[in-house]
Amino acid sequence: MASSNIRTHFCSSTLIFLLLPLLLQFYSGKSELQFNYYAQSCPRAEEIIKEQVIMLYNKHGNTAVSWVRNLFHDCMLKSCDASLLLETVNGIESEKASQRSFGMRNFKYVNTIKAALESECPVTVSCADVVALSARDGIVMLGGPRVEMKTGRRDSTESYGAVVEDFIPNHNDSISLVLSRFESIGVDVEGTVALLGSHSVGRVHCVNLVHRLYPTVDPTMDPDYAEYLKGRCPTPDPDPQEVLYARNDRETPMILDNYYYKNLLGHKGLLMVDQQLTSDPLTSPYVEKMAADNGYFHDQFSRAVVLLSENNPLTGDQGEIRKDCRYVNSN
């Protein structure tokens, strides 16, 4: 009889242990991200996003860079919840209006991707997952690694425009502050150095780099490189509306590779935060290692992108699935 009671107690305890995660999920309204989240509700969701990313890349190559930057700006700010995409309307202050978002573009093509999804699976695939998966596929288009991403994110019903600068580091911030910002979302030093390698692609407006050229050249910058940059940015007060920029990487400007780190070791970092990576004892060993091994850079970049993409997502019955990424459904 005692043996039967023990067996019954053991089975009951095991059942409770197995059901506990489901019970917590039910009462909290929160669930975990998972691979192939849309397998039943919208089987072609990820394929549709990939098709659109490729199509847009072939028409406008710089869209791939935009998708990577979108992921950073969305996920660093409290949650990977597509709050970045909201427009200023009905009391919502768009994050896109922040100075930290200067130079971001191609948001209209996010709507192109979302429209293709809505055509096949109305109000099913979140804008937050569009941000994440378009970045994943954009990275591949830029010659970077294939990153396996989970899905199931939901969309925020609010913007965090008033606090953008509290979360998104500035290109002039100290490397210690940048490291602390990434650490706060679970990205370690090695991962932060790898994520900054996204500066291997795209371009920087002269507004963000003339302080390193005028009135005197930053002594940490290669003199020949400084002369090249002065040719790109001939005055100390460039017009933000003018197309005045320099490529992040002159050798392979649209390929996500380790030339970024090689440039840093040659004192050819474009932004202050880039060049600081070589002088800080915490980050410099990783710069040297990534400069020597592109495969290692890609491995660490993949790992860090996953961490970034899974920062505090809304799941379960939190948030909503927006019909239009620019507006909450009540608008």
Side-chain angles (χ1 to χ4, degrees):
M1 183 71 177
S3 174
S4 176
N5 288 338
I6 291 172
R7 194 159 49 244
T8 300
H9 176 73
F10 176 78
C11 291
S12 299
S13 298
T14 302
L15 183 61
I16 291 172
F17 176 77
L18 293 173
L19 289 177
L20 186 58
L22 295 175
L23 292 171
L24 290 173
Q25 176 181 324
F26 176 79
Y27 285 110
S28 69
K30 190 172 177 65
S31 59
E32 297 298 319
L33 299 179
Q34 56 188 269
F35 291 113
N36 303 313
Y37 177 81
Y38 298 106
Q40 300 300 319
S41 60
C42 189
R44 290 194 66 249
E46 296 194 26
E47 188 63 29
I48 290 170
I49 293 173
K50 181 180 178 180
E51 289 169 358
Q52 292 295 311
V53 166
I54 293 172
M55 182 269 291
L56 289 165
Y57 177 82
N58 289 334
K59 287 185 176 179
H60 319 279
N62 59 28
T63 53
V65 180
S66 296
W67 307 150
V68 179
R69 191 174 178 190
N70 284 354
L71 183 74
F72 165 71
H73 279 259
D74 189 49
C75 293
M76 281 294 292
L77 186 50
K78 292 197 174 186
S79 169
C80 293
D81 58 8
S83 62
L84 169 70
L85 303 178
L86 290 171
E87 298 286 355
T88 298
V89 64
N90 293 347
I92 288 177
E93 177 187 348
S94 178
E95 295 166 22
K96 292 183 280 188
S98 167
Q99 189 58 35
R100 290 289 195 274
S101 301
F102 175 73
M104 295 187 73
R105 52 189 176 154
N106 292 320
F107 289 114
K108 62 184 178 182
Y109 298 125
V110 176
N111 304 329
T112 301
I113 299 173
K114 177 63 169 171
L117 290 163
E118 288 296 300
S119 177
E120 178 138 343
C121 312
V123 201
T124 302
V125 181
S126 70
C127 299
D129 278 338
V130 171
V131 169
L133 296 178
S134 61
R136 178 190 71 179
D137 296 331
I139 288 167
V140 173
M141 299 309 295
L142 294 167
R146 167 76 177 186
V147 181
E148 295 304 321
M149 277 190 184
K150 295 179 181 179
T151 43
R153 300 166 189 79
R154 288 173 63 86
D155 300 326
S156 169
T157 56
E158 62 181 322
S159 170
Y160 313 116
V163 294
V164 172
E165 296 187 8
D166 296 335
F167 290 84
I168 306 292
N170 187 11
H171 56 87
N172 286 327
D173 285 336
S174 67
I175 193 62
S176 59
L177 176 60
V178 172
L179 291 174
S180 70
R181 292 279 171 87
F182 278 100
E183 183 183 18
S184 71
I185 67 165
V187 179
D188 57 17
V189 174
E190 189 175 22
T192 300
V193 175
L195 284 177
L196 284 170
S198 62
H199 290 176
S200 171
V201 294
R203 63 190 190 180
V204 172
H205 196 284
C206 291
V207 165
N208 289 330
L209 58 90
V210 288
H211 63 284
R212 299 192 68 202
L213 303 173
Y214 305 100
T216 57
V217 173
D218 183 335
T220 64
M221 183 181 288
D222 175 79
D224 291 336
Y225 187 55
E227 286 305 308
Y228 158 73
L229 291 179
K230 281 187 173 183
R232 301 293 305 174
C233 307
T235 67
D237 53 352
D239 183 346
Q241 303 303 317
E242 293 289 327
V243 183
L244 297 168
Y245 65 88
R247 292 285 180 188
N248 282 329
D249 171 10
R250 294 167 66 190
E251 282 77 15
T252 54
M254 290 296 288
I255 299 177
L256 187 66
D257 60 16
N258 65 340
Y259 262 100
Y260 167 76
Y261 303 100
K262 295 177 182 179
N263 288 334
L264 296 186
L265 294 177
H267 300 282
K268 297 177 181 178
L270 196 54
L271 297 171
M272 184 70 76
V273 69
D274 297 325
Q275 199 56 57
Q276 286 183 73
L277 289 176
T278 62
S279 57
D280 188 284
L282 289 175
T283 56
S284 59
Y286 297 121
V287 172
E288 293 177 4
K289 193 171 179 180
M290 290 180 193
D293 188 341
N294 193 56
Y296 164 68
F297 160 54
H298 279 180
D299 288 345
Q300 294 306 313
F301 184 80
S302 297
R303 180 180 68 86
V305 163
V306 169
L307 291 172
L308 178 65
S309 73
E310 295 182 3
N311 179 35
N312 193 32
L314 302 181
T315 58
D317 61 6
Q318 298 176 313
E320 64 181 15
I321 304 297
R322 287 185 219 140
K323 298 175 184 176
D324 185 321
C325 294
R326 298 169 295 177
Y327 311 105
V328 298
N329 290 339
S330 60
N331 284 333

